[in-house]
Amino acid sequence: MTADALDATSALPLPRRLPRARPGTVVGILAVVAAAVVPVLLGDFASFVGSRIAVTAIIGLSVTVVTGYTGQLSLMPYTFVGIGTFTAAHAVSSWGWPFWFAALLAAVATLPLSVLVGLVSVRLRGFYLAIATLTFASAVGATLFTWDALTGGQRGLTVARPALGPVPVASDRAYYLLTLATVLLIVWMVLGLQRSRIGRSMNAVRENETAAQALGVNVRKTKLAAFVISGMIAGVGGVFHAMLLQHVTRTSFQTPFVETLGVTLVILVVVGGMRSAWGPFVGAAIIYVQLEVFRTALLLQYVLAALSAAAFIFILLKVPGGLVDIVRHEAAAVRAAPLRNGIRVTVVLLVQVAVFVAIWRWSS
Amino acid sequence: MSVFLQVAVIGLAKSGIIAMLAIGIVLIYRTTGVVNLAHWAMGLLGVVVYVLVSQSTPLPNALVAVVGIAAAVGAGLVSQRLVFSRLRRGDGVTMILIALGVGAFLAAVAQMLLRGQRGEILVEPTLPTGQLVLAGTVTTYAELITIAVAIGTAAVLLPWLQRSRTGRALRAVAQNREAAELAGIDATRYAELAWMIGSGLAGAALLLLIPHSAGERGGVLSVVHLVPLGSLLIPAFGAALVGGMISLNAALAGSLIFGLVQEVLILAPAPIADERDILAYVVITVLLLLRTERFFATNAELEALRA
C-alpha cells in the first residue's frame, strides 16, 4: 500500500457499526447453493465430475497453505495424497473403521513425512526446497509405495464408499454432496487460518523471512506448521480421492506421474488464485469442466493443457492473485459502472466461449 | 571381470546422458540465474519433432536428429525471449513456478504434435543398432557412441568456455552481469546463447536416450517420457548440485556418481544393490543440505546470481 492510500484510509470516518451483509456474501451463498444443486440435478455423471473438482480443490488447498500463504514450494502434494489414500483404503476396507476415523487416521499418517519436509524447509529455500521435494516424492514412490502390503501390489486396492452412520453415500450424487460439504469446511478452516496469528506469521515468512524473524516470528515453527497442516489436508484429500475412484493403484504416486500430478495441481491452484482459499476450487472447476465438456476431442485436451500452462505463466507474470483476483476486480468495476463494464465483461466472456467452440469444432 | 565391464559401459552411457543434461542446467543457471525445471521438456520437444520428421520423410535419421536438436534449441530461445527475459531476478519461487509452467506447456505441445498417436510410439534409432563384442564384453554401438558423444561434448565445450572470446563473455555475464554490460558485453545476447546451447544439449541427450531404449527395434516413446519432469531430470540436477550448480567440472564428476557408480553398485552385496535408487536420493538430499554452491562460488558471485 502506498503512503497516499494509507492516508486515505486513515482519513475515512470510522463506521459506528460494521456493515452486515456485503453483496459479495449474498453472491457467495447463491454460488454455494448452485454448486450443491446443479450437479445433483444434472445426474450421476455431473455429480462425479463435481466430486472430482471438490477432491482436487481439497488437495489444492494443501498447496494454498504451504505455497500461497507461506511461500514454500513443495512439489510432492500427491505423495501425501498417496499416504492418505492407502491408509484410508486399509482402515475402511480391511479393518472396517468408520469413515471419519479413517479420515482422521489418514491425516495423522502424513505427520512423520510432513514433519521431515518441514524441518528440511527450515534449512533450504527456493529451488533447493523444490528439488528436495521432487527427490522425496521419487524416494517415497520407490520405497513406501512399492510395499505390496500397503498398496495391494500391481492390482491395487478396492475401496468402498462410506456410510455416515445410517446414511449411505455410495451413489455419485450423495458422494458429491459429502465432498462438497467437506471442501467448504476445509475452505472455511483455511480462511480462518489466514486470519489467525499463525496464518499472519506464514504471510510474514513468505514476504521476507529475515524481516519476519526480526519481528519475532518463529520461522522454524511457522514453516513446520505450514507443512504439517498442508500434509494433513492432502491426506484427507487422499481419503476422498480413494473413495471417488473406488479403486486405487500405486502407479500414480510413483515417478514420473507423482511429479506430473504435482505440477498440474500447482498450475491449477495458481490459475485459480494462490493466496485465496477459494483459488483451488475456482482453478479445479475451470479446468475439469472444460476437460469434461471437450472429453471427446482428444487433441483439445492437449490444447487445454497448453493453454492452462500459458495462462499460468501469464498470471504469474501479470496477475499474481489469479482468477479470484480478476473476478473480484471485474465485479468491482461492474458495480462502479454497470453499463460500460458490464458490456465489456460480457463481450470478453462471449469471445472466450466462441474461441472454445471454434477449437472444438476444428478438432473433432 | 567381463560382467563388471558390461555394467560399467551401461553406467558410462547413462553418465554421458546425465552429463549432457547437467551441463545445460549449469550453463543456464550460471548465465541467467534460472533453475531450468523445463529442461526435460525442451529435449522432449526435440525428440517429438524427430519422430514426426522421420516418419514423414525418407531423410537419413542422423540428419533428422539435427532437425530435432534444432527444435530443442528453438524451444530454449523462444522460452528465454518470451518468458524468462521478462522475469524479475531474485524472486525464487515465482521463477521456479514459471520454469515448471514452461515445462508443462512444452510437454503439452509435444503431445499436441503427436496428435492421433497414442500409447507407445516406435522411434527409429538415430545411431546404428546392433551389438559388438569388446574384450569379452557384449556392448551396443549406441552405448559406445553415447559415451563418445558425451566425452566429445565435454572436451570441446569446457575448453571453449574457458578460452574462447564467446566463452569468456559467457563467464563474465555469469560472474557479474552489470560489470560485463559496462565492459560492452551484450548480456541479453549471451543469455540467449546459454539457453540455446543448454536446450540443444538436452535435445541431443534425449535423442541419444529415447531412440535406443528398446534395443534392436530402436526406441519407444511412451507416456513415461511425455511428462514435464522426466526420470533422468532429478539425477541431472543431482550431478549439477555436486558442483553447486556453478562448476561444470564438478558436474561432470557428479554425472559419474549418478550414472556409473549407481549402475556398478548392482554388483554390490544385497542391501546396497537393491536400494541403489534410494542411495541416489539420499545423496541428492545430502548435497542439497550441504548447500554445495558455497564451495564453488564467492559470496559476490552468489549475490550476482540472485540480484
Side-chain angles (χ1 to χ4, degrees), chain A residues 303-316:
Chain A
V303 175
L304 276 176
L307 275 181
S308 47
F312 168 80
I313 296 168
F314 177 80
I315 281 175
L316 280 171

Side-chain angles (χ1 to χ4, degrees), chain B residues 49-289:
Chain B
V49 168
Y50 169 80
V51 169
L52 293 175
V53 177
S54 64
Q55 280 174 349
S56 57
T57 62
L59 291 172
N61 288 341
L63 198 66
V64 182
V66 176
V67 177
I69 294 173
V73 170
L77 180 62
V78 170
S79 315
Q80 158 68 10
R81 282 237 173 124
L82 291 186
V83 183
F84 291 110
S85 62
R86 285 155 206 255
L87 269 179
R88 230 165 12 97
R89 280 196 171 201
D91 186 354
V93 172
T94 306
M95 191 157 63
I96 304 162
L97 284 173
I98 286 186
L100 283 174
V102 170
F105 179 79
L106 291 174
V109 169
Q111 286 186 315
M112 236 152 73
L113 290 174
L114 288 172
R115 168 181 201 187
Q117 304 185 40
R118 299 190 78 181
E120 303 200 322
I121 299 156
L122 276 182
V123 187
E124 290 182 32
T126 51
L127 305 172
T129 55
Q131 301 180 327
L132 78 168
V133 180
L134 226 107
T137 313
V138 184
T139 60
T140 64
Y141 285 109
E143 280 162 3
L144 292 179
I145 297 175
T146 302
I147 296 169
V149 170
I151 294 176
T153 308
V156 172
L157 203 64
L158 265 53
W160 178 75
L161 280 173
Q162 206 63 35
R163 303 209 190 95
S164 77
R165 198 181 160 76
T166 315
R168 280 180 294 153
L170 272 172
R171 283 195 297 139
V173 174
Q175 277 172 6
N176 192 333
R177 193 184 173 89
E178 208 169 314
E181 286 199 323
L182 289 175
I185 295 171
D186 182 354
T188 315
R189 211 183 99 211
Y190 284 98
E192 285 173 1
L193 185 66
W195 274 97
M196 286 162 73
I197 298 174
S199 36
L201 282 174
L206 294 201
L207 278 167
L208 288 171
L209 176 76
I210 296 173
H212 306 101
S213 54
E216 294 276 326
R217 285 192 299 151
V220 172
L221 185 66
S222 66
V223 285
V224 181
H225 300 118
L226 289 164
V227 292
L229 305 168
S231 51
L232 277 187
L233 194 65
I234 294 176
F237 269 103
L241 281 167
V242 172
M245 306 270 296
I246 305 277
S247 159
L248 284 169
N249 292 326
L252 288 180
S255 59
L256 287 180
I257 297 178
F258 293 103
L260 181 64
V261 175
Q262 212 195 344
E263 283 300 317
V264 168
L265 279 182
I266 207 167
L267 303 172
I272 297 177
D274 292 345
E275 306 301 340
R276 289 171 5 253
D277 290 346
I278 307 305
L279 277 176
Y281 295 134
V282 171
V283 171
I284 295 175
T285 311
V286 170
L287 287 171
L288 284 165
L289 289 171

Side-chain angles (χ1 to χ4, degrees), chain A residues 253-298:
Chain A
F253 304 112
Q254 290 176 318
T255 304
F257 302 109
V258 65
E259 294 93 341
T260 308
L261 283 170
V263 172
T264 315
L265 185 73
V266 170
I267 288 180
L268 177 155
V269 171
V270 171
V271 169
M274 186 164 50
R275 294 182 185 172
S276 158
W278 295 104
F281 202 81
V282 174
I286 296 249
I287 288 177
Y288 279 108
V289 167
Q290 288 178 2
L291 278 180
E292 293 304 332
V293 168
F294 302 122
R295 176 172 276 285
T296 48
L298 180 69

Side-chain angles (χ1 to χ4, degrees), chain A residues 123 127-128 138 143 306 312, chain B residues 96-97 105 278 289 291 293:
Chain A
R123 196 172 157 86
F127 82 86
Y128 287 99
S138 300
T143 49
F312 168 80
Chain B
I96 304 162
L97 284 173
F105 179 79
I278 307 305
L289 289 171
R291 292 192 209 149
E293 57 182 1

Side-chain angles (χ1 to χ4, degrees), chain A residues 3 46 102 134 164 186 229 251 286 321:
Chain A
L134 276 181
L164 299 177
I186 298 179
I229 295 170
T251 328
I286 296 249

